[in-house]
CSV table of all heavy atoms in Angstrom, one decimal:
chain,number,residue,atom,x,y,z
S,117,TYR,N,-4.5,9.8,-1.3
S,117,TYR,CA,-4.5,9.4,0.1
S,117,TYR,C,-4.7,7.9,0.2
S,117,TYR,O,-4.0,7.2,0.9
S,117,TYR,CB,-5.6,10.1,0.8
S,117,TYR,CG,-5.4,10.2,2.3
S,117,TYR,CD1,-4.4,10.9,2.9
S,117,TYR,CD2,-6.3,9.5,3.2
S,117,TYR,CE1,-4.2,11.0,4.3
S,117,TYR,CE2,-6.2,9.6,4.5
S,117,TYR,CZ,-5.2,10.3,5.1
S,117,TYR,OH,-5.0,10.4,6.5
S,118,GLU,N,-5.7,7.3,-0.5
S,118,GLU,CA,-6.0,5.9,-0.5
S,118,GLU,C,-4.8,5.1,-1.0
S,118,GLU,O,-4.4,4.1,-0.4
S,118,GLU,CB,-7.2,5.6,-1.2
S,118,GLU,CG,-7.7,4.2,-1.2
S,118,GLU,CD,-8.8,3.9,-2.1
S,118,GLU,OE1,-9.4,4.8,-2.7
S,118,GLU,OE2,-9.1,2.7,-2.3
S,119,ASN,N,-4.2,5.5,-2.2
S,119,ASN,CA,-3.1,4.8,-2.8
S,119,ASN,C,-1.9,4.7,-1.8
S,119,ASN,O,-1.2,3.7,-1.7
S,119,ASN,CB,-2.8,5.4,-4.1
S,119,ASN,CG,-3.7,5.1,-5.2
S,119,ASN,OD1,-4.5,4.1,-5.1
S,119,ASN,ND2,-3.8,5.9,-6.2
S,121,ALA,N,-2.0,4.8,1.4
S,121,ALA,CA,-2.3,3.9,2.5
S,121,ALA,C,-2.0,2.5,2.0
S,121,ALA,O,-1.6,1.6,2.8
S,121,ALA,CB,-3.7,4.1,2.9
S,122,ARG,N,-2.3,2.2,0.8
S,122,ARG,CA,-2.2,0.8,0.3
S,122,ARG,C,-0.8,0.4,0.0
S,122,ARG,O,-0.3,-0.7,0.2
S,122,ARG,CB,-3.1,0.6,-1.0
S,122,ARG,CG,-4.6,0.6,-0.7
S,122,ARG,CD,-5.3,0.4,-2.0
S,122,ARG,NE,-6.8,0.5,-1.8
S,122,ARG,CZ,-7.5,-0.5,-1.3
S,122,ARG,NH1,-7.0,-1.6,-0.9
S,122,ARG,NH2,-8.8,-0.3,-1.2
S,128,PHE,N,2.3,5.5,6.0
S,128,PHE,CA,0.9,6.1,6.2
S,128,PHE,C,0.6,6.1,7.7
S,128,PHE,O,-0.1,7.0,8.2
S,128,PHE,CB,-0.1,5.3,5.4
S,128,PHE,CG,-1.5,5.8,5.5
S,128,PHE,CD1,-1.9,6.9,4.8
S,128,PHE,CD2,-2.4,5.1,6.3
S,128,PHE,CE1,-3.2,7.4,4.9
S,128,PHE,CE2,-3.7,5.6,6.3
S,128,PHE,CZ,-4.1,6.7,5.6
S,189,ALA,N,-14.1,10.8,6.5
S,189,ALA,CA,-14.8,9.6,6.0
S,189,ALA,C,-13.8,8.6,5.4
S,189,ALA,O,-13.9,7.4,5.6
S,189,ALA,CB,-15.8,10.0,5.0
S,190,LEU,N,-12.9,9.1,4.6
S,190,LEU,CA,-11.9,8.2,3.9
S,190,LEU,C,-11.0,7.6,5.0
S,190,LEU,O,-10.7,6.4,4.9
S,190,LEU,CB,-11.1,9.0,2.9
S,190,LEU,CG,-10.0,8.2,2.1
S,190,LEU,CD1,-10.7,7.1,1.4
S,190,LEU,CD2,-9.3,9.2,1.1
S,191,GLN,N,-10.6,8.4,6.0
S,191,GLN,CA,-9.8,7.9,7.1
S,191,GLN,C,-10.5,6.7,7.8
S,191,GLN,O,-9.9,5.7,8.1
S,191,GLN,CB,-9.4,9.0,8.1
S,191,GLN,CG,-8.6,8.5,9.2
S,191,GLN,CD,-7.2,8.1,8.9
S,191,GLN,OE1,-6.6,8.6,7.9
S,191,GLN,NE2,-6.7,7.1,9.6
S,192,GLY,N,-11.8,6.9,8.1
S,192,GLY,CA,-12.5,5.9,8.7
S,192,GLY,C,-12.7,4.6,7.9
S,192,GLY,O,-12.5,3.5,8.4
S,193,VAL,N,-12.9,4.8,6.6
S,193,VAL,CA,-13.0,3.6,5.7
S,193,VAL,C,-11.7,2.8,5.6
S,193,VAL,O,-11.7,1.6,5.7
S,193,VAL,CB,-13.4,4.1,4.3
S,193,VAL,CG1,-13.2,3.0,3.3
S,193,VAL,CG2,-14.8,4.6,4.3
S,194,LEU,N,-10.6,3.6,5.6
S,194,LEU,CA,-9.3,2.9,5.5
S,194,LEU,C,-9.0,2.1,6.8
S,194,LEU,O,-8.3,1.1,6.7
S,194,LEU,CB,-8.2,3.9,5.2
S,194,LEU,CG,-8.2,4.6,3.9
S,194,LEU,CD1,-7.2,5.7,3.8
S,194,LEU,CD2,-8.0,3.6,2.8
S,195,GLN,N,-9.5,2.6,7.9
S,195,GLN,CA,-9.2,1.9,9.2
S,195,GLN,C,-10.1,0.6,9.3
S,195,GLN,O,-9.6,-0.4,9.8
S,195,GLN,CB,-9.5,2.8,10.3
S,195,GLN,CG,-8.5,3.9,10.6
S,195,GLN,CD,-8.7,4.6,11.9
S,195,GLN,OE1,-9.4,4.2,12.8
S,195,GLN,NE2,-8.1,5.8,11.9
S,196,VAL,N,-11.3,0.7,8.8
S,196,VAL,CA,-12.2,-0.5,8.9
S,196,VAL,C,-11.8,-1.6,7.9
S,196,VAL,O,-12.2,-2.7,8.0
S,196,VAL,CB,-13.7,-0.2,8.9
S,196,VAL,CG1,-14.1,0.8,9.9
S,196,VAL,CG2,-14.1,0.3,7.5
S,197,GLN,N,-11.0,-1.2,6.9
S,197,GLN,CA,-10.7,-2.2,5.9
S,197,GLN,C,-9.9,-3.4,6.4
S,197,GLN,O,-9.9,-4.5,5.8
S,197,GLN,CB,-9.9,-1.5,4.7
S,197,GLN,CG,-10.8,-0.8,3.8
S,197,GLN,CD,-10.0,-0.2,2.6
S,197,GLN,OE1,-8.8,0.1,2.8
S,197,GLN,NE2,-10.6,-0.1,1.5
S,198,LYS,N,-9.2,-3.2,7.5
S,198,LYS,CA,-8.5,-4.3,8.1
S,198,LYS,C,-9.4,-5.4,8.6
S,198,LYS,O,-8.9,-6.6,8.7
S,198,LYS,CB,-7.7,-3.8,9.3
S,198,LYS,CG,-8.5,-3.4,10.5
S,198,LYS,CD,-7.7,-2.8,11.7
S,198,LYS,CE,-7.1,-1.5,11.4
S,198,LYS,NZ,-6.4,-0.9,12.5
S,199,LEU,N,-10.7,-5.1,8.7
S,199,LEU,CA,-11.6,-6.2,9.1
S,199,LEU,C,-12.0,-7.1,7.9
S,199,LEU,O,-12.6,-8.1,8.1
S,199,LEU,CB,-12.9,-5.5,9.6
S,199,LEU,CG,-12.8,-4.7,10.9
S,199,LEU,CD1,-14.1,-4.1,11.2
S,199,LEU,CD2,-12.3,-5.5,12.0
S,200,GLU,N,-11.5,-6.7,6.8
S,200,GLU,CA,-11.8,-7.5,5.6
S,200,GLU,C,-11.3,-9.0,5.7
S,200,GLU,O,-11.9,-9.9,5.3
S,200,GLU,CB,-11.1,-6.9,4.3
S,200,GLU,CG,-11.4,-7.7,3.0
S,200,GLU,CD,-10.6,-7.2,1.9
S,200,GLU,OE1,-9.7,-6.3,2.1
S,200,GLU,OE2,-10.9,-7.6,0.7
S,201,ARG,N,-10.2,-9.1,6.4
S,201,ARG,CA,-9.6,-10.5,6.6
S,201,ARG,C,-10.6,-11.4,7.4
S,201,ARG,O,-10.6,-12.6,7.2
S,201,ARG,CB,-8.3,-10.4,7.4
S,201,ARG,CG,-7.1,-9.8,6.6
S,201,ARG,CD,-5.8,-10.0,7.3
S,201,ARG,NE,-5.9,-9.3,8.6
S,201,ARG,CZ,-4.9,-9.3,9.5
S,201,ARG,NH1,-3.8,-10.0,9.2
S,201,ARG,NH2,-5.0,-8.7,10.6
S,202,SER,N,-11.3,-10.8,8.3
S,202,SER,CA,-12.3,-11.5,9.1
S,202,SER,C,-13.6,-11.7,8.4
S,202,SER,O,-14.3,-12.7,8.7
S,202,SER,CB,-12.5,-10.8,10.5
S,202,SER,OG,-11.3,-10.6,11.2
S,203,ALA,N,-14.0,-10.8,7.6
S,203,ALA,CA,-15.3,-10.9,6.9
S,203,ALA,C,-15.2,-10.4,5.5
S,203,ALA,O,-15.7,-9.3,5.1
S,203,ALA,CB,-16.3,-10.1,7.7
S,204,PRO,N,-14.5,-11.1,4.6
S,204,PRO,CA,-14.3,-10.7,3.3
S,204,PRO,C,-15.6,-10.6,2.5
S,204,PRO,O,-15.6,-9.8,1.5
S,204,PRO,CB,-13.4,-11.8,2.7
S,204,PRO,CG,-13.6,-13.0,3.5
S,204,PRO,CD,-13.8,-12.4,4.9
S,206,PHE,N,-18.3,-9.3,3.6
S,206,PHE,CA,-19.0,-8.2,4.1
S,206,PHE,C,-18.3,-6.9,3.7
S,206,PHE,O,-18.9,-5.9,3.3
S,206,PHE,CB,-19.2,-8.2,5.6
S,206,PHE,CG,-20.1,-7.2,6.2
S,206,PHE,CD1,-21.5,-7.4,6.1
S,206,PHE,CD2,-19.7,-6.0,6.7
S,206,PHE,CE1,-22.4,-6.5,6.6
S,206,PHE,CE2,-20.5,-5.1,7.2
S,206,PHE,CZ,-21.9,-5.3,7.2
S,207,PHE,N,-17.0,-6.9,3.8
S,207,PHE,CA,-16.2,-5.7,3.5
S,207,PHE,C,-15.6,-5.8,2.1
S,207,PHE,O,-14.6,-6.4,1.9
S,207,PHE,CB,-15.1,-5.5,4.6
S,207,PHE,CG,-15.6,-5.1,5.9
S,207,PHE,CD1,-15.9,-6.1,6.8
S,207,PHE,CD2,-15.8,-3.8,6.2
S,207,PHE,CE1,-16.4,-5.7,8.1
S,207,PHE,CE2,-16.3,-3.4,7.5
S,207,PHE,CZ,-16.6,-4.3,8.4
S,208,THR,N,-16.3,-5.1,1.2
S,208,THR,CA,-15.8,-5.1,-0.2
S,208,THR,C,-14.8,-3.9,-0.3
S,208,THR,O,-15.2,-2.8,-0.7
S,208,THR,CB,-17.0,-4.9,-1.2
S,208,THR,OG1,-17.8,-3.8,-0.8
S,208,THR,CG2,-17.9,-6.2,-1.2
S,209,SER,N,-13.6,-4.2,0.1
S,209,SER,CA,-12.6,-3.1,0.2
S,209,SER,C,-12.4,-2.2,-1.0
S,209,SER,O,-12.2,-1.1,-0.9
S,209,SER,CB,-11.3,-3.7,0.7
S,209,SER,OG,-10.8,-4.6,-0.2
S,210,LYS,N,-12.5,-2.9,-2.2
S,210,LYS,CA,-12.2,-2.1,-3.4
S,210,LYS,C,-13.3,-1.1,-3.7
S,210,LYS,O,-13.1,-0.1,-4.4
S,210,LYS,CB,-12.0,-3.0,-4.6
S,210,LYS,CG,-10.7,-3.9,-4.5
S,210,LYS,CD,-10.5,-4.7,-5.7
S,210,LYS,CE,-9.2,-5.5,-5.6
S,210,LYS,NZ,-9.0,-6.4,-6.8
S,211,LYS,N,-14.5,-1.4,-3.2
S,211,LYS,CA,-15.6,-0.6,-3.6
S,211,LYS,C,-16.0,0.4,-2.4
S,211,LYS,O,-16.6,1.5,-2.7
S,211,LYS,CB,-16.9,-1.4,-3.8
S,211,LYS,CG,-16.7,-2.3,-5.1
S,211,LYS,CD,-18.0,-3.1,-5.3
S,211,LYS,CE,-17.9,-4.0,-6.5
S,211,LYS,NZ,-19.1,-4.8,-6.7
S,212,LEU,N,-15.7,0.1,-1.2
S,212,LEU,CA,-16.1,0.9,-0.1
S,212,LEU,C,-15.6,2.3,-0.1
S,212,LEU,O,-16.4,3.2,0.1
S,212,LEU,CB,-15.6,0.2,1.2
S,212,LEU,CG,-16.2,0.7,2.5
S,212,LEU,CD1,-17.7,0.7,2.5
S,212,LEU,CD2,-15.7,-0.1,3.7
S,213,PRO,N,-14.3,2.6,-0.4
S,213,PRO,CA,-13.9,4.0,-0.4
S,213,PRO,C,-14.7,4.8,-1.5
S,213,PRO,O,-15.2,5.9,-1.2
S,213,PRO,CB,-12.4,4.0,-0.7
S,213,PRO,CG,-12.0,2.6,-0.3
S,213,PRO,CD,-13.2,1.7,-0.6
S,214,ASN,N,-14.8,4.3,-2.7
S,214,ASN,CA,-15.5,4.9,-3.8
S,214,ASN,C,-16.9,5.2,-3.5
S,214,ASN,O,-17.5,6.2,-3.7
S,214,ASN,CB,-15.3,4.2,-5.1
S,214,ASN,CG,-13.9,4.2,-5.7
S,214,ASN,OD1,-13.1,4.9,-5.1
S,214,ASN,ND2,-13.7,3.5,-6.8
S,215,THR,N,-17.6,4.1,-2.9
S,215,THR,CA,-19.0,4.2,-2.6
S,215,THR,C,-19.2,5.3,-1.6
S,215,THR,O,-20.2,6.1,-1.7
S,215,THR,CB,-19.5,2.9,-2.1
S,215,THR,OG1,-19.3,1.9,-3.1
S,215,THR,CG2,-21.0,3.0,-1.7
S,216,THR,N,-18.4,5.4,-0.6
S,216,THR,CA,-18.5,6.4,0.5
S,216,THR,C,-18.3,7.8,0.0
S,216,THR,O,-19.1,8.7,0.2
S,216,THR,CB,-17.5,6.1,1.6
S,216,THR,OG1,-17.6,4.8,2.1
S,216,THR,CG2,-17.6,7.1,2.7
Side-chain angles (χ1 to χ4, degrees):
Y117 198 68
E118 181 187 353
N119 286 339
R122 290 183 184 280
F128 182 77
L190 183 56
Q191 178 64 34
V193 168
L194 293 173
Q195 286 189 19
V196 301
Q197 281 183 331
K198 68 182 69 173
L199 299 176
E200 181 188 11
R201 288 188 302 176
S202 304
F206 191 80
F207 289 92
T208 53
S209 60
K210 291 183 179 180
K211 297 181 180 179
L212 192 56
N214 287 357
T215 301
T216 301

